[in-house]
Amino acid sequence: MRKKVTLITGASGEIGQALIKSLTKHGDMPIITLDIAPLPADMLHKVTALQGDIMDKALLSRLVSEYELDTIYHLAALLSTRSEFTPEAAHKVNVEGTLGLLNLAAEQSDWRHVPVKFIFPSSIAAYGLPDLETKAAYTRVREWEWNNPRTMYGCNKLYCEQLGIYYSKYYRQLAADLPVMLDFRCLRFPGLISAFTVPSGGTSDYGPEMLHYAAQNKPYACFVREDVRIPFMVMPDAVKSLLMLTKAPSDAIKHTVYNVTSFSLSAAEFRDWVIKFFPQAEITFEPDLQRQAIVDSWPADLDDSAARRNWTWQPDYDVNRSFAEYLVPSIRKMYQKK
Ligand SMILES: NC(=O)c1ccc[n+]([C@@H]2O[C@H](COP(=O)([O-])OP(=O)(O)OC[C@H]3O[C@@H](n4cnc5c(N)ncnc54)[C@H](O)[C@@H]3O)[C@@H](O)[C@H]2O)c1
């Protein structure tokens, strides 16, 4: 008998580490992780950690020969800034990597006669508003609006959402016997902020970077204009939304792709919140026009009413609680220790 497990790809990253902590606190299913980067040593006792590439077919075959995959959190990806520098590599990891895992989950679903849950984090980058006037007019964007990404990362995410829909609804639709299809569920996240991992490679990272620099008494030059506004959410709420979506009963799920969010801030408002807690912070604005243009194409806020209605989603942390109770105390402690 193969052991039933939860698989987390990209587990060594920002979301992966937070998800492992939460799943091992509440969950009872063993966890296998797969990431090209090592997992921090203090997490190795919680999971079976495989260090490897999601593109490695031999490794994936070994994985399914040993384990029965119940749920897959497919987090491995190249993030937005890196993807712009290496678009073909981004396509390989973000699209071909996802396709390989969807294929593996499809085969496992049919073999088990039970759908594998495939949880996929998409992004605000799947949207693309054409100009600032449109962004000002359409503040709370709904899932089906403005699906015109202007980055490789956004294109990759939007296409993978469509692949997930295909594999969960239409896979082998011309075969004589329809297979048991996988259960694909997807969240479009806003910019995420973690108190524990220093951001790397996201185009929304200017917010968390302001905080981490302020806590270390380092000056920070923000790479977008003061008036730029996008939505944010802190990591505990990101993990909460992933777990809520995973657990939601199938009949509550009315869409495949859901927006989730908490608060929307301009870069200047973000700075003001940082200064409230770190009055000595030196934050200046030196917009990088190319990165700026990408953030300008993202919505000022997301409409997450479908998630709220269908599976009772709501964030625990509004902006005040995010800063006062989660971000500032943990970030302070992290840098005091060093
Ligand atoms: N952090 C955010 O603000 C945010 C927002 C929206 C969506 N997301 C999505 O959530 C997921 C996780 O994001 P994160 O912030 O934890 O990113 P991260 O960069 O911290 O983690 C991604 C992980 O994927 C791993 N990885 C990359 N290529 C791989 C490969 N070929 N094989 C195996 N592992 C590989 C990396 O080593 C890294 O540990 C990503 O899919 C990302 O697109 C993140």
Side-chain angles (χ1 to χ4, degrees), residues 10-16 34-37 52-55 74-79 93 121-124 153 157 189-192 200 204 235:
S12 306
E14 211 177 13
I15 301 180
L34 174 59
D35 198 305
I36 32 173
D53 195 322
I54 54 163
M55 308 296 291
H74 174 40
L75 311 180
L78 299 191
L79 301 195
V93 175
S122 185
S123 159
I124 189 180
Y153 174 75
K157 287 293 185 192
F189 281 134
L192 299 180
S200 65
S204 60
M235 198 51 78

Side-chain angles (χ1 to χ4, degrees), residues 179-250:
V180 174
M181 285 180 236
L182 55 87
D183 181 355
F184 179 85
R185 303 177 180 197
C186 170
L187 291 174
R188 282 203 193 135
F189 281 134
L192 299 180
I193 321 172
S194 165
F196 299 102
T197 31
V198 183
S200 65
T203 311
S204 60
D205 284 347
Y206 57 88
E209 281 171 4
M210 280 185 204
L211 257 168
H212 283 269
Y213 277 66
Q216 296 172 82
N217 274 320
K218 288 186 186 162
Y220 181 70
C222 177
F223 59 81
V224 298
R225 288 187 321 269
E226 294 180 65
D227 63 298
V228 166
R229 180 178 291 278
I230 58 165
F232 290 97
M233 187 156 82
V234 289
M235 198 51 78
D237 277 332
V239 170
K240 176 183 171 181
S241 65
L242 284 168
L243 298 182
M244 282 187 79
L245 181 67
T246 310
K247 286 193 197 125
S250 301

Side-chain angles (χ1 to χ4, degrees), residues 271-312:
R271 176 212 41 209
D272 295 345
W273 276 97
V274 173
I275 286 177
K276 197 167 154 183
F277 294 96
F278 298 98
Q280 84 295 348
E282 274 179 62
I283 300 168
T284 51
F285 290 84
E286 293 173 23
D288 166 340
L289 295 183
Q290 287 152 323
R291 290 181 96 187
Q292 164 77 68
I294 293 176
V295 190
D296 278 342
S297 75
W298 293 347
D301 203 355
L302 293 174
D303 181 334
D304 62 357
S305 54
R308 288 173 186 257
R309 212 171 35 245
N310 292 172
W311 40 277
T312 64

Side-chain angles (χ1 to χ4, degrees), residues 36 54 62 65 67 75 84 86 89 94 108 117 139 163 182 193 205 225 256 281 328:
I36 32 173
I54 54 163
R62 267 203 322 275
S65 69
Y67 299 103
L75 311 180
E84 276 324 288
T86 56
N94 296 351
Q108 284 261 305
K117 273 192 188 156
T139 44
L163 281 178
L182 55 87
I193 321 172
D205 284 347
R225 288 187 321 269
T256 313
V328 173

